[in-house]
Amino acid sequence: MNIAFFLLPKLEVVCITIQYTLRQTLEKMEHHRYTAIPVLDDTGKYIGTITEGDLLWFFKNQEGMSLENAHRRSISEVPMRLDNRAVRIDANMDDLIRLAKVQNFVPVVDDSDNFIGIVRRSDIIDYCASKIFVLEHSSEVG
C-alpha cells in the first residue's frame, strides 16, 4: 500500500515555522485544539514537532516567563523533547506503523526533505483494523 493514499497534504496541516513566537504557537494550538504540531524551517523543511509539554516545561524553567511576555520569545528557543521522525513519501506501511506506535502523526517529506504533509495515527489504525476485519471474515467463510 502506498502511503500517499493516507497523506493529509501540507495545505491542510496546521503547522508553524521556526519564526513563530511562543504566544503565536500557543494560540494556534489552542484554536485548533492540538497537543502537537509540526515545525518547519523557513524553506519548508521539517524540523520537528512541538508539543504542549515542550511549551509547559519551557515556561516552568525560564525565569520570569509568563503569557504576558510570551510574544517576545521565539519557538526556536524551546527544546523539543521528542524526536518525532518523518518518513519519505516512498516509505512502506511497516515504517508508518512503527512510528505511529509512539507518535500521534507521522510527518512525510519528499526526496529533498521538504515537508509535504502528515499521516494521522487514526488513519493508520483504521487501515490496520480493516485488514484484521478482512482476515477474520475470510477465515469465517473459508
Side-chain angles (χ1 to χ4, degrees), residues 49-63:
T49 297
I50 194 88
T51 67
E52 286 179 329
D54 296 332
L55 300 174
L56 176 65
W57 289 115
F58 185 78
F59 269 86
K60 178 194 172 288
N61 294 323
Q62 295 297 309
E63 184 75 29

Side-chain angles (χ1 to χ4, degrees), residues 98-111:
R98 182 178 44 78
L99 290 174
K101 291 187 321 188
V102 295
Q103 299 176 194
N104 291 336
F105 59 86
V106 179
V108 181
V109 296
D110 65 13
D111 292 339

Side-chain angles (χ1 to χ4, degrees), residues 129-139:
S130 72
K131 293 299 182 189
I132 291 169
F133 176 75
V134 167
L135 287 174
E136 288 177 349
H137 184 68
S138 67
S139 68

Side-chain angles (χ1 to χ4, degrees), residues 108-139:
V108 181
V109 296
D110 65 13
D111 292 339
S112 300
D113 287 330
N114 293 309
F115 178 79
I116 59 173
I118 65 170
V119 176
R120 295 177 288 215
R121 178 168 37 197
S122 60
D123 293 334
I124 297 166
I125 291 171
D126 287 345
Y127 168 79
C128 292
S130 72
K131 293 299 182 189
I132 291 169
F133 176 75
V134 167
L135 287 174
E136 288 177 349
H137 184 68
S138 67
S139 68

Side-chain angles (χ1 to χ4, degrees), residues 11-74:
L11 287 173
E12 297 176 35
V13 176
V14 174
C15 52
I16 62 169
T17 63
I18 201 70
Q19 291 84 12
Y20 268 60
T21 66
L22 279 165
R23 181 88 186 199
Q24 290 171 316
T25 303
L26 285 165
E27 288 172 353
K28 186 165 273 218
M29 291 174 86
E30 178 183 31
H31 176 75
H32 294 282
R33 297 180 180 223
Y34 290 149
T35 60
I37 53 177
V39 181
L40 310 179
D41 71 10
D42 51 356
T43 66
K45 295 198 182 325
Y46 174 73
I47 294 174
T49 297
I50 194 88
T51 67
E52 286 179 329
D54 296 332
L55 300 174
L56 176 65
W57 289 115
F58 185 78
F59 269 86
K60 178 194 172 288
N61 294 323
Q62 295 297 309
E63 184 75 29
M65 190 73 234
S66 69
L67 285 176
E68 288 75 34
N69 62 19
H71 67 284
R72 294 187 186 124
R73 304 296 292 268
S74 169

